[in-house]
Amino acid sequence: MDMPSWQDQKLGTMKRAALWLVAEVGEGNVFTKSQLRDAFPDTSQIDRRMRDLRDFGWQIATNREDPELEAHEQRFVLQGIPVWEPGKSTRPSTAISATQRREIISRDGYICRSCGISTGESYEGSHELVQLDIARREVLQPDGSTAVELVTECKRCRVGGRGLVADLPAVIEGVQDLGAYEKKLLAGWIAADRRELSALEQLWAHYRSLPGASRDKVRKVLESNEG
Ligand SMILES: [Zn+2]
């Protein structure tokens, strides 16, 4: 599908900001506040519209999440839902009630469905407490279409910048604590530079990251095949 131009004035500001990121900045690259203002000179709320994109799975890091950035810089980490496509940009803040929010987080077991961290924990190597939020996730459906479903995600996963600080000593310590069999298994994965997951484990990992409505569908398929 052809992408519309970010300069198309008929589109809303959030959509144009998303298109600008893709067309002019590119994933992984840094942009400055003045570049953004120059691109959208008539829009006073451009920073807010840019932040709104995070509700649609877009990861845009500031210097809070990415210490390499200066205060006037942001990094376009990852593209999210293509909000310029029809029906994909319903505002989540107005669409999700407080009750719905509680229900979704409870159904998701109070864990971030992207990294598995749970509420009340702090991130490894920091005192920052986990805050859970609702994200929209595009889920490929059995009929080939995509649906946008709500899922619990922690603030870090939503913003991007997760895993920026790697902890080598912790990994080495963990390796030293392994038994002989586990060490051999790990050495095999390292040599192949990939972990051979069993089909069951792969299914489990995929199942676990699905939003609640989709997890229910999988459960129903299993139940209908039982006995
Ligand atoms: Zn997370």
Side-chain angles (χ1 to χ4, degrees):
M1 186 188 288
D2 275 352
M3 270 177 30
S5 161
W6 66 270
Q7 282 158 319
D8 186 347
Q9 304 279 347
K10 289 193 295 291
L11 296 171
T13 308
M14 185 181 76
K15 293 178 188 181
R16 290 183 57 207
L19 290 162
W20 179 78
L21 283 175
V22 175
E24 303 292 324
V25 180
E27 256 181 19
N29 295 327
V30 171
F31 60 96
T32 64
K33 277 186 180 151
S34 56
Q35 284 174 324
L36 185 60
R37 300 247 163 75
D38 288 348
F40 298 92
D42 306 322
T43 314
S44 56
Q45 303 257 26
I46 186 62
D47 289 323
R48 281 191 70 162
R49 298 291 84 84
M50 193 62 99
R51 279 200 297 276
D52 288 344
L53 282 173
R54 289 174 172 177
D55 291 335
F56 297 92
W58 290 66
Q59 296 186 359
I60 299 152
T62 65
N63 66 341
R64 261 187 316 239
E65 296 88 33
D66 185 340
E68 283 177 24
L69 295 175
E70 310 265 350
H72 67 282
E73 293 176 327
Q74 294 184 63
R75 189 189 302 278
F76 171 30
V77 181
L78 193 75
Q79 183 184 326
I81 294 171
V83 289
W84 53 85
E85 289 180 9
K88 297 247 167 108
S89 61
T90 320
R91 288 282 298 120
S93 55
T94 52
I96 307 171
S97 70
T99 314
Q100 251 185 314
R101 214 187 125 79
R102 276 196 302 275
E103 280 170 5
I104 291 161
I105 294 180
S106 152
R107 186 182 62 185
D108 283 342
Y110 302 93
I111 66 168
C112 166
R113 288 277 154 186
S114 289
C115 71
I117 204 162
S118 62
T119 183
E121 287 183 69
S122 54
Y123 293 103
E124 195 151 332
S126 86
H127 298 292
E128 188 191 342
L129 276 177
V130 170
Q131 278 181 290
L132 294 179
D133 213 333
I134 307 292
R136 316 206 127 202
R137 186 167 295 170
E138 267 193 309
V139 182
L140 189 63
Q141 300 296 301
D143 66 0
S145 66
T146 54
V148 176
E149 297 180 12
L150 301 171
V151 71
T152 306
E153 214 171 49
C154 75
K155 279 238 164 98
R156 262 203 196 179
C157 285
R158 293 195 58 207
V159 170
R162 167 162 58 108
L164 275 173
V165 183
D167 189 349
L168 179 60
V171 176
I172 289 173
E173 203 177 303
V175 167
Q176 283 163 342
D177 287 344
L178 293 176
Y181 172 74
E182 291 168 316
K183 268 187 187 147
K184 208 174 154 201
L185 197 62
L186 181 63
W189 294 343
I190 289 172
D193 200 23
R194 60 177 297 199
R195 179 185 163 198
E196 298 292 342
L197 289 174
S198 75
L200 195 59
E201 280 177 306
Q202 273 172 12
L203 276 174
W204 167 247
H206 283 159
Y207 163 79
R208 203 160 180 268
S209 68
L210 287 173
S214 291
R215 295 202 304 278
D216 286 346
K217 283 177 197 159
V218 176
R219 215 172 294 138
K220 289 218 176 76
V221 170
L222 265 181
E223 280 164 10
S224 69
N225 287 344
E226 265 172 28

